[in-house]
Amino acid sequence: MYYLITTGSGGRLAFTACSLYPHMKIKVFDLPPIVEVAPDFKPLLKDCPNQDHVTFIGGDFFQDDLPEADLFCLTGVLESWGDDEGDLLLAKVFKKLPTGKSL
């Protein structure tokens, strides 16, 4: 089982990924106000029967530890920040990636 960390947008990418890869567990890491409204964007059960594989975690990329995962998907994040912030975020992601494991 592989774990994907993605960024918010109500979990659209996360729910699509869990529909395409039913054994994948997905964590959406975003700011707490986004996580609070995430249930409002949950797809219909018929469209995503394994939506229980998606969990939401509130936090701040720059202040909080990132959850560990096999894969990180930073949708709409890096282009929102300058080079220094992007470098910091990518360094945090790199530290959380597993070593010596092939997918």
Side-chain angles (χ1 to χ4, degrees), residues 23-75:
H23 300 294
M24 184 179 281
K25 299 287 186 176
I26 302 167
K27 299 173 190 172
V28 179
F29 186 82
D30 211 326
L31 294 169
I34 303 298
V35 171
E36 287 178 27
V37 299
D40 297 340
F41 297 97
K42 195 180 236 186
L44 298 173
L45 194 56
K46 70 178 182 70
D47 296 329
C48 184
N50 58 340
Q51 58 187 250
D52 60 326
H53 287 203
V54 177
T55 57
F56 289 82
I57 301 167
D60 184 305
F61 296 134
F62 301 109
Q63 296 180 18
D64 299 317
D65 282 337
L66 299 177
E68 292 189 21
D70 298 306
L71 176 66
F72 284 80
C73 183
L74 305 173
T75 55

Side-chain angles (χ1 to χ4, degrees), residues 89-103:
L89 182 54
L90 290 174
K92 289 179 81 167
V93 166
F94 182 76
K95 288 180 184 177
K96 290 295 181 172
L97 290 172
T99 59
K101 184 176 180 181
S102 71
L103 301 174

Side-chain angles (χ1 to χ4, degrees), residues 11 20 84 90:
L20 296 171
D84 291 340
L90 290 174

Side-chain angles (χ1 to χ4, degrees), residues 62 78 81-90:
F62 301 109
L78 294 176
W81 301 99
D83 290 344
D84 291 340
E85 293 89 356
D87 288 348
L88 173 67
L89 182 54
L90 290 174

